[in-house]
Short mmCIF file of all heavy atoms in Angstrom, two decimals:
data_model
loop_
_atom_site.label_atom_id
_atom_site.label_comp_id
_atom_site.label_asym_id
_atom_site.label_seq_id
_atom_site.Cartn_x
_atom_site.Cartn_y
_atom_site.Cartn_z
N ASP A 1723 -70.22 48.88 -139.20
CA ASP A 1723 -70.82 48.53 -137.91
C ASP A 1723 -72.33 48.37 -138.00
O ASP A 1723 -72.93 47.68 -137.18
CB ASP A 1723 -70.48 49.61 -136.87
CG ASP A 1723 -68.97 49.78 -136.69
OD1 ASP A 1723 -68.25 48.78 -136.89
OD2 ASP A 1723 -68.53 50.89 -136.36
N SER A 1724 -72.95 49.00 -138.97
CA SER A 1724 -74.40 48.99 -139.07
C SER A 1724 -74.92 47.66 -139.59
O SER A 1724 -74.42 47.15 -140.60
CB SER A 1724 -74.87 50.12 -139.98
OG SER A 1724 -76.26 50.01 -140.23
N PRO A 1725 -75.95 47.07 -138.94
CA PRO A 1725 -76.56 45.84 -139.47
C PRO A 1725 -77.28 46.07 -140.79
O PRO A 1725 -77.58 45.11 -141.51
CB PRO A 1725 -77.53 45.43 -138.36
CG PRO A 1725 -77.83 46.70 -137.63
CD PRO A 1725 -76.56 47.51 -137.68
N ASP A 1726 -77.54 47.33 -141.16
CA ASP A 1726 -78.19 47.64 -142.43
C ASP A 1726 -77.26 47.41 -143.61
O ASP A 1726 -77.73 47.35 -144.76
CB ASP A 1726 -78.69 49.08 -142.44
CG ASP A 1726 -79.78 49.33 -141.41
OD1 ASP A 1726 -80.48 48.36 -141.07
OD2 ASP A 1726 -79.92 50.47 -140.95
N ILE A 1727 -75.95 47.34 -143.36
CA ILE A 1727 -74.99 47.14 -144.44
C ILE A 1727 -74.40 45.75 -144.31
O ILE A 1727 -73.51 45.50 -143.48
CB ILE A 1727 -73.89 48.23 -144.42
CG1 ILE A 1727 -74.51 49.62 -144.57
CG2 ILE A 1727 -72.87 47.97 -145.51
CD1 ILE A 1727 -73.53 50.74 -144.58
N ASN A 1728 -74.94 44.83 -145.06
CA ASN A 1728 -74.47 43.45 -145.12
C ASN A 1728 -74.45 42.76 -143.75
O ASN A 1728 -73.58 41.96 -143.46
CB ASN A 1728 -73.07 43.39 -145.75
CG ASN A 1728 -72.80 42.06 -146.43
OD1 ASN A 1728 -73.60 41.59 -147.22
ND2 ASN A 1728 -71.68 41.45 -146.10
N ASN A 1729 -75.42 43.13 -142.90
CA ASN A 1729 -75.52 42.54 -141.55
C ASN A 1729 -74.22 42.67 -140.77
O ASN A 1729 -73.85 41.79 -139.98
CB ASN A 1729 -75.92 41.07 -141.63
CG ASN A 1729 -77.33 40.88 -142.16
OD1 ASN A 1729 -78.24 41.63 -141.77
ND2 ASN A 1729 -77.51 39.92 -143.06
N ALA A 1730 -73.51 43.77 -141.01
CA ALA A 1730 -72.25 44.08 -140.32
C ALA A 1730 -71.15 43.06 -140.62
O ALA A 1730 -70.18 42.95 -139.87
CB ALA A 1730 -72.47 44.20 -138.81
N GLN A 1731 -71.28 42.31 -141.73
CA GLN A 1731 -70.28 41.31 -142.11
C GLN A 1731 -69.37 41.88 -143.22
O GLN A 1731 -69.78 42.75 -143.99
CB GLN A 1731 -70.98 40.04 -142.61
CG GLN A 1731 -71.81 39.34 -141.55
CD GLN A 1731 -70.99 38.93 -140.35
OE1 GLN A 1731 -69.96 38.27 -140.49
NE2 GLN A 1731 -71.43 39.34 -139.17
N PRO A 1732 -68.14 41.37 -143.33
CA PRO A 1732 -67.23 41.84 -144.38
C PRO A 1732 -67.79 41.53 -145.78
O PRO A 1732 -68.49 40.54 -145.98
CB PRO A 1732 -65.94 41.05 -144.13
CG PRO A 1732 -66.03 40.61 -142.71
CD PRO A 1732 -67.49 40.39 -142.43
N PHE A 1733 -67.45 42.39 -146.74
CA PHE A 1733 -67.85 42.17 -148.12
C PHE A 1733 -66.80 42.77 -149.05
O PHE A 1733 -65.96 43.57 -148.63
CB PHE A 1733 -69.23 42.76 -148.40
CG PHE A 1733 -69.30 44.27 -148.26
CD1 PHE A 1733 -69.09 45.10 -149.35
CD2 PHE A 1733 -69.57 44.85 -147.03
CE1 PHE A 1733 -69.14 46.47 -149.23
CE2 PHE A 1733 -69.62 46.23 -146.89
CZ PHE A 1733 -69.41 47.04 -147.99
N PHE A 1734 -66.86 42.37 -150.32
CA PHE A 1734 -65.96 42.92 -151.33
C PHE A 1734 -66.58 44.18 -151.93
O PHE A 1734 -67.67 44.10 -152.51
CB PHE A 1734 -65.71 41.91 -152.45
CG PHE A 1734 -65.01 40.66 -152.01
CD1 PHE A 1734 -65.64 39.44 -152.10
CD2 PHE A 1734 -63.73 40.73 -151.51
CE1 PHE A 1734 -64.99 38.28 -151.71
CE2 PHE A 1734 -63.06 39.59 -151.10
CZ PHE A 1734 -63.70 38.34 -151.20
N PRO A 1735 -65.94 45.34 -151.82
CA PRO A 1735 -66.49 46.55 -152.45
C PRO A 1735 -66.23 46.54 -153.95
O PRO A 1735 -65.55 45.65 -154.48
CB PRO A 1735 -65.72 47.68 -151.76
CG PRO A 1735 -64.41 47.06 -151.42
CD PRO A 1735 -64.69 45.61 -151.10
N LYS A 1736 -66.73 47.56 -154.65
CA LYS A 1736 -66.60 47.60 -156.11
C LYS A 1736 -65.16 47.77 -156.56
O LYS A 1736 -64.82 47.46 -157.71
CB LYS A 1736 -67.46 48.71 -156.70
CG LYS A 1736 -67.02 50.12 -156.32
CD LYS A 1736 -67.93 51.16 -156.98
CE LYS A 1736 -67.48 52.57 -156.65
NZ LYS A 1736 -68.35 53.59 -157.31
N ASN A 1737 -64.27 48.27 -155.67
CA ASN A 1737 -62.88 48.45 -156.06
C ASN A 1737 -62.03 47.21 -155.81
O ASN A 1737 -60.81 47.26 -155.89
CB ASN A 1737 -62.26 49.65 -155.36
CG ASN A 1737 -62.57 49.71 -153.88
OD1 ASN A 1737 -63.63 49.29 -153.44
ND2 ASN A 1737 -61.66 50.24 -153.09
N ASP A 1738 -62.67 46.07 -155.49
CA ASP A 1738 -61.95 44.81 -155.35
C ASP A 1738 -61.78 44.17 -156.72
O ASP A 1738 -62.75 43.96 -157.45
CB ASP A 1738 -62.74 43.87 -154.44
CG ASP A 1738 -62.11 42.48 -154.37
OD1 ASP A 1738 -60.99 42.38 -153.84
OD2 ASP A 1738 -62.73 41.53 -154.87
N ARG A 1739 -60.53 43.89 -157.09
CA ARG A 1739 -60.24 43.18 -158.33
C ARG A 1739 -59.25 42.07 -157.99
O ARG A 1739 -58.15 42.34 -157.50
CB ARG A 1739 -59.59 44.10 -159.37
CG ARG A 1739 -60.42 45.29 -159.76
CD ARG A 1739 -61.55 44.92 -160.73
NE ARG A 1739 -61.98 46.07 -161.47
CZ ARG A 1739 -62.75 47.05 -160.98
NH1 ARG A 1739 -63.15 46.99 -159.74
NH2 ARG A 1739 -63.11 48.08 -161.72
N ARG A 1740 -59.61 40.84 -158.30
CA ARG A 1740 -58.71 39.74 -157.94
C ARG A 1740 -57.48 39.71 -158.83
O ARG A 1740 -56.36 39.56 -158.36
CB ARG A 1740 -59.48 38.41 -158.03
CG ARG A 1740 -58.75 37.25 -157.37
CD ARG A 1740 -58.70 37.42 -155.85
NE ARG A 1740 -60.05 37.44 -155.31
CZ ARG A 1740 -60.62 38.51 -154.75
NH1 ARG A 1740 -59.95 39.65 -154.66
NH2 ARG A 1740 -61.84 38.47 -154.27
N HIS A 1741 -57.68 39.84 -160.13
CA HIS A 1741 -56.57 39.78 -161.08
C HIS A 1741 -56.60 41.02 -161.97
O HIS A 1741 -57.66 41.44 -162.44
CB HIS A 1741 -56.66 38.53 -161.96
CG HIS A 1741 -56.74 37.25 -161.19
ND1 HIS A 1741 -55.63 36.65 -160.63
CD2 HIS A 1741 -57.81 36.46 -160.87
CE1 HIS A 1741 -56.00 35.55 -160.02
NE2 HIS A 1741 -57.31 35.40 -160.14
N ASP A 1742 -55.43 41.58 -162.21
CA ASP A 1742 -55.31 42.74 -163.09
C ASP A 1742 -54.03 42.60 -163.90
O ASP A 1742 -52.94 42.48 -163.33
CB ASP A 1742 -55.30 44.04 -162.28
CG ASP A 1742 -55.30 45.27 -163.17
OD1 ASP A 1742 -56.35 45.60 -163.71
OD2 ASP A 1742 -54.23 45.89 -163.32
N VAL A 1743 -54.17 42.58 -165.22
CA VAL A 1743 -53.03 42.37 -166.12
C VAL A 1743 -52.98 43.48 -167.16
O VAL A 1743 -54.02 43.88 -167.70
CB VAL A 1743 -53.13 41.01 -166.85
CG1 VAL A 1743 -51.91 40.79 -167.75
CG2 VAL A 1743 -53.27 39.86 -165.85
N SER A 1744 -51.78 43.99 -167.43
CA SER A 1744 -51.58 44.96 -168.51
C SER A 1744 -50.34 44.56 -169.30
O SER A 1744 -49.30 44.25 -168.71
CB SER A 1744 -51.39 46.38 -167.96
OG SER A 1744 -52.54 46.82 -167.30
N VAL A 1745 -50.46 44.58 -170.61
CA VAL A 1745 -49.33 44.32 -171.50
C VAL A 1745 -49.24 45.49 -172.47
O VAL A 1745 -50.18 45.77 -173.22
CB VAL A 1745 -49.50 43.00 -172.28
CG1 VAL A 1745 -48.30 42.76 -173.18
CG2 VAL A 1745 -49.71 41.82 -171.34
N VAL A 1746 -48.12 46.21 -172.43
CA VAL A 1746 -47.93 47.41 -173.24
C VAL A 1746 -46.68 47.24 -174.11
O VAL A 1746 -45.63 46.83 -173.61
CB VAL A 1746 -47.78 48.66 -172.35
CG1 VAL A 1746 -47.49 49.89 -173.20
CG2 VAL A 1746 -49.02 48.88 -171.51
N ALA A 1747 -46.82 47.52 -175.39
CA ALA A 1747 -45.68 47.39 -176.31
C ALA A 1747 -45.64 48.58 -177.25
O ALA A 1747 -46.68 49.01 -177.76
CB ALA A 1747 -45.77 46.10 -177.11
N MET A 1748 -44.44 49.11 -177.48
CA MET A 1748 -44.21 50.19 -178.44
C MET A 1748 -43.05 49.79 -179.34
O MET A 1748 -41.99 49.41 -178.84
CB MET A 1748 -43.91 51.50 -177.71
CG MET A 1748 -45.10 52.08 -176.97
SD MET A 1748 -44.67 53.37 -175.78
CE MET A 1748 -44.12 52.37 -174.40
N TYR A 1749 -43.28 49.85 -180.64
CA TYR A 1749 -42.27 49.38 -181.59
C TYR A 1749 -41.97 50.48 -182.61
O TYR A 1749 -42.88 50.99 -183.29
CB TYR A 1749 -42.76 48.12 -182.30
CG TYR A 1749 -41.71 47.49 -183.18
CD1 TYR A 1749 -40.69 46.73 -182.62
CD2 TYR A 1749 -41.75 47.66 -184.56
CE1 TYR A 1749 -39.73 46.14 -183.42
CE2 TYR A 1749 -40.78 47.08 -185.38
CZ TYR A 1749 -39.76 46.31 -184.80
OH TYR A 1749 -38.80 45.75 -185.59
N ALA A 1750 -40.70 50.84 -182.71
CA ALA A 1750 -40.26 51.87 -183.65
C ALA A 1750 -39.83 51.21 -184.95
O ALA A 1750 -38.77 50.59 -185.02
CB ALA A 1750 -39.12 52.68 -183.05
N LEU A 1751 -40.67 51.34 -185.99
CA LEU A 1751 -40.30 50.80 -187.30
C LEU A 1751 -39.13 51.58 -187.89
O LEU A 1751 -38.21 51.02 -188.47
CB LEU A 1751 -41.51 50.86 -188.24
CG LEU A 1751 -42.68 49.95 -187.87
CD1 LEU A 1751 -43.88 50.25 -188.77
CD2 LEU A 1751 -42.29 48.49 -187.99
N ASN A 1752 -39.18 52.89 -187.72
CA ASN A 1752 -38.10 53.78 -188.14
C ASN A 1752 -38.29 55.09 -187.41
O ASN A 1752 -39.10 55.18 -186.48
CB ASN A 1752 -38.08 53.96 -189.67
CG ASN A 1752 -39.45 54.36 -190.21
OD1 ASN A 1752 -40.07 55.32 -189.73
ND2 ASN A 1752 -39.94 53.61 -191.20
N LYS A 1753 -37.58 56.13 -187.82
CA LYS A 1753 -37.66 57.40 -187.11
C LYS A 1753 -38.97 58.13 -187.35
O LYS A 1753 -39.30 59.09 -186.65
CB LYS A 1753 -36.49 58.30 -187.49
CG LYS A 1753 -35.15 57.78 -187.01
CD LYS A 1753 -34.03 58.75 -187.33
CE LYS A 1753 -32.69 58.22 -186.81
NZ LYS A 1753 -31.58 59.17 -187.07
N ARG A 1754 -39.74 57.67 -188.35
CA ARG A 1754 -40.98 58.37 -188.67
C ARG A 1754 -42.23 57.58 -188.31
O ARG A 1754 -43.31 58.15 -188.19
CB ARG A 1754 -41.01 58.71 -190.16
CG ARG A 1754 -39.93 59.69 -190.60
CD ARG A 1754 -40.09 60.06 -192.06
NE ARG A 1754 -41.38 60.66 -192.35
CZ ARG A 1754 -41.83 60.95 -193.56
NH1 ARG A 1754 -41.08 60.67 -194.61
NH2 ARG A 1754 -43.01 61.48 -193.74
#
Side-chain angles (χ1 to χ4, degrees):
D1723 301 331
S1724 172
D1726 295 333
I1727 300 181
N1728 207 50
N1729 293 318
Q1731 296 301 307
F1733 64 92
F1734 296 117
K1736 66 179 182 179
N1737 46 327
D1738 174 66
R1739 301 283 202 284
R1740 194 68 62 248
H1741 304 281
D1742 185 76
V1743 182
S1744 297
V1745 181
V1746 176
M1748 290 165 280
Y1749 187 77
L1751 293 172
N1752 51 52
K1753 293 184 179 182
R1754 295 185 59 187

